[in-house]
Amino acid sequence: LAACPDPAEAAHVREPPVRLGNATANGSCVVEVLVVSRQDARSRAVRNHDQLLETVSASLGRALPACAVRLRVFVGRDHSLTSAAAVWHRAHVVVAPHGAALANIIFVQPGTLVVELGYYSAASSTRPYASTVEGLGMPWPAPYYWAAAASAEATLFASMAIGSYSGPMTANLEDVATLMADQIAPRLRRRPDLTGRHLRPPWVTAVCPPARDGVVPA
């Protein structure tokens, strides 16, 4: 994968609009949150997607009152490879249902925090959600996104939802809120770089040759 993008494509990176966020007095601390949407897919669309956005934004806002939390929604079909790389690269936190979009983990920066929404299909009225601590969860091993996160020096967490691989699922909002407050926010507080480097696209630090007539020399 080339470090230097096609100049014409790089100029048309699609910037997802900020959907939710809290205000901050000085703007010195900015947390970029990216939530992946599968609402256009037949499998693993999150039924309570809007509530999930509100839970993530509100939980981080309460835990990080001195920071502006800017939440954006990523829909894979809206982005080219270059655009996806730029959008994922700037995120401090990513929340995504299990699916191919998580392959974009390869574009995140070291220290990025990723929450994968898994699924648990054997739900009941007495056990509506699974606990990964109890050894329950997806009915087949899926270590590849953990491996991808490790190779990118990112940290991946799992939150189990009710659903199935081929159908929709319902996120456990209480579990997501707990993850944001107890795991994600404390790690963000320890970071001194919640603005600068995450606002640059991944090719900025690469030595890219100048474009001539819209063509990058080989």
Side-chain angles (χ1 to χ4, degrees):
L1 188 64
C4 300
D6 182 293
E9 188 173 351
H12 293 89
V13 170
R14 296 198 60 168
E15 182 69 44
V18 176
R19 285 283 302 272
L20 292 170
N22 62 330
T24 183
N26 53 30
S28 61
C29 174
V30 178
V31 178
E32 288 283 346
V33 181
L34 191 67
V35 178
V36 174
S37 171
R38 289 183 59 91
Q39 301 310 96
D40 60 337
R42 288 179 293 180
S43 59
R44 279 156 285 128
V46 178
R47 288 191 182 98
N48 52 347
H49 175 76
D50 290 343
Q51 293 93 326
L52 174 65
L53 301 183
E54 293 169 1
T55 297
V56 171
S57 179
S59 299
L60 287 178
R62 285 192 296 268
L64 302 168
C67 296
V69 178
R70 298 199 298 213
L71 186 148
R72 305 172 194 268
V73 175
F74 177 85
V75 180
R77 68 179 182 182
D78 292 342
H79 296 269
S80 65
L81 182 61
T82 300
S83 182
V87 171
W88 280 68
H89 186 77
R90 69 184 295 170
H92 299 109
V93 180
V94 177
V95 180
H98 175 77
L102 279 165
N104 290 299
I105 285 176
I106 64 173
F107 300 124
V108 304
Q109 296 191 44
T112 299
L113 306 170
V114 182
V115 176
E116 178 181 359
L117 300 179
Y119 55 88
Y120 178 64
S121 56
S124 68
S125 59
T126 57
R127 184 188 290 271
Y129 295 101
S131 167
T132 53
V133 176
E134 297 173 323
L136 304 174
M138 290 185 281
W140 42 272
Y144 34 85
Y145 295 131
W146 292 87
S151 69
E153 298 181 51
T155 303
L156 190 146
F157 302 87
S159 179
M160 305 308 292
I162 297 175
S164 66
Y165 180 83
S166 57
M169 58 189 195
T170 302
N172 183 343
L173 301 180
E174 182 179 352
D175 186 58
V176 170
T178 299
L179 268 176
M180 294 297 139
D182 296 349
Q183 300 296 331
I184 304 300
R187 286 169 170 81
L188 290 173
R189 290 191 197 101
R190 295 195 290 267
R191 296 188 56 166
D193 61 337
L194 291 182
T195 52
R197 74 189 183 96
H198 275 260
L199 300 182
R200 300 193 300 270
W203 54 81
V204 165
T205 53
V207 180
C208 297
R212 293 177 304 174
D213 300 324
V215 177
V216 176

